[in-house]
């Protein structure tokens, strides 16, 4: 726990999980430019299956370049063009255009999944202060206020996320909508329906199933 995943260690984790590919990323800067690289590696053999490299002209273009590289990598790994067009969304549009806000959010999300809401809250507060339109920042911040028993602050932030839900990905929309029904309206039956659809849409994701368990407990 807590060890940085190097390429070789990530390959070992991939093998133990019976997965097929591990995706390795790199970023380096040359003057004002940033070079972003993605490598898809066969977990069993270590062979490179696909590579993608893009250049961003300045820090503010890094997320857009990363999103473009990810879409090209998906195509190289065999995803159909129709699927990419349907499910791909620019990172800067659905997450945040601010690299600093994304960094704070990422650290806050990590603390969140480790159950450390006391650490998560100030990081997520920073994320939404850097980008006031950061829907998932508000949603996860609200969820951590729930964990801390700050229900008024939780409802305020989750409602902000809900009002911005048109900016998010499909997975994030499920996350925000289900928490909105649970923490703001209190409509647990609607929350249950959303989580069931979420689970059907993303059958390998444990989050909606975990939420369904919580809802079932609240409903007795």
């Amino acid at each position: 726990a807590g060890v940085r995943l190097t390429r070789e260690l990530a390959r070992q984790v991939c093998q133990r999980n019976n997965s097929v590919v591990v995706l390795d990323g790199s970023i380096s800067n040359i003057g004002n430019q940033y070079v972003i690289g993605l490598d898809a590696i066969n977990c069993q053999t270590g062979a490179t299956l696909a590579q993608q490299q893009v250049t961003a002209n300045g820090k503010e273009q890094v997320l857009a370049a990363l999103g473009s590289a990810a879409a090209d990598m998906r195509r190289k790994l065999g995803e159909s063009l129709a699927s990419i067009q349907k499910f791909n969304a620019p990172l800067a549009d659905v997450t945040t255009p601010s690299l600093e806000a994304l960094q704070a959010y990422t650290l806050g999300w990590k603390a969140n999944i480790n159950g450390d809401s006391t650490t998560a809250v100030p990081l997520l507060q920073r994320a939404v202060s850097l980008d006031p339109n950061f829907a998932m920042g508000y949603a996860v911040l609200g969820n951590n206020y729930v964990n801390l028993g700050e229900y008024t602050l939780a409802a305020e932030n989750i409602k902000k996320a809900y009002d911005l839900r048109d900016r998010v990905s499909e997975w994030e929309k499920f996350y925000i909508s289900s928490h909105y029904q649970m923490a703001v309206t209190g409509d647990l039956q609607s929350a249950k329906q959303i989580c069931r659809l979420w689970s059907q849409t993303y059958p390998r994701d444990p989050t909606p199933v975990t939420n369904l368990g919580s809802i079932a407990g609240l409903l007795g």
Side-chain angles (χ1 to χ4, degrees):
V3 176
R4 185 175 182 274
L5 284 176
T6 62
R7 177 180 289 216
E8 186 52 43
L9 187 56
R11 232 188 100 196
Q12 293 179 35
V13 173
C14 184
Q15 290 171 343
R16 293 185 185 198
N17 284 330
N18 295 316
S19 297
V20 179
V21 173
V22 63
L23 192 65
D24 187 37
S26 64
I27 183 169
S28 57
N29 69 305
I30 305 169
N32 291 326
Q33 290 190 321
Y34 290 80
V35 180
I36 300 161
L38 294 177
D39 292 321
I41 302 156
N42 184 304
C43 294
Q44 303 303 319
T45 66
T48 297
L49 299 176
Q51 289 181 311
Q52 185 65 23
Q53 188 176 88
V54 294
T55 301
N57 294 316
K59 187 166 64 173
E60 65 279 359
Q61 299 299 320
V62 166
L63 290 178
L66 177 59
S68 173
D72 287 341
M73 178 64 81
R74 288 160 64 176
R75 178 182 53 78
K76 288 182 178 181
L77 291 173
E79 185 174 352
S80 70
L81 181 60
S83 175
I84 293 172
Q85 288 174 338
K86 180 178 179 180
F87 293 108
N88 188 58
L91 277 173
D93 290 348
V94 301
T95 303
T96 174
S98 167
L99 198 59
E100 289 86 355
L102 183 61
Q103 183 181 35
Y105 170 81
T106 301
L107 294 172
W109 176 263
K110 184 176 181 180
N112 169 68
I113 61 175
N114 287 332
D116 186 359
S117 292
T118 303
T119 299
V121 163
L123 290 164
L124 295 164
Q125 286 174 331
R126 173 167 169 74
V128 296
S129 69
L130 289 166
D131 179 5
N133 293 315
F134 196 169
M136 273 300 287
Y138 289 116
V140 181
L141 177 58
N143 191 39
N144 279 275
Y145 276 133
V146 170
N147 296 339
L148 294 173
E150 298 280 359
Y151 300 113
T152 301
L153 288 171
E156 288 175 2
N157 281 278
I158 292 171
K159 186 179 185 306
K160 286 180 182 178
Y162 189 77
D163 291 341
L164 293 165
R165 67 191 183 281
D166 289 341
R167 295 171 53 88
V168 304
S169 67
E170 194 68 20
W171 187 95
E172 291 171 327
K173 193 171 292 184
F174 280 124
Y175 183 98
I176 291 170
S177 298
S178 60
H179 284 87
Y180 177 79
Q181 297 298 344
M182 292 175 69
V184 180
T185 70
D187 187 346
L188 297 180
Q189 293 295 343
S190 293
K192 184 167 68 172
Q193 292 175 0
I194 292 167
C195 287
R196 281 179 173 167
L197 181 58
W198 185 2
S199 180
Q200 291 166 5
T201 307
Y202 297 92
R204 294 195 296 176
D205 185 351
T207 311
V209 183
T210 303
N211 288 355
L212 280 168
S214 298
I215 294 166
L218 292 169
L219 290 171

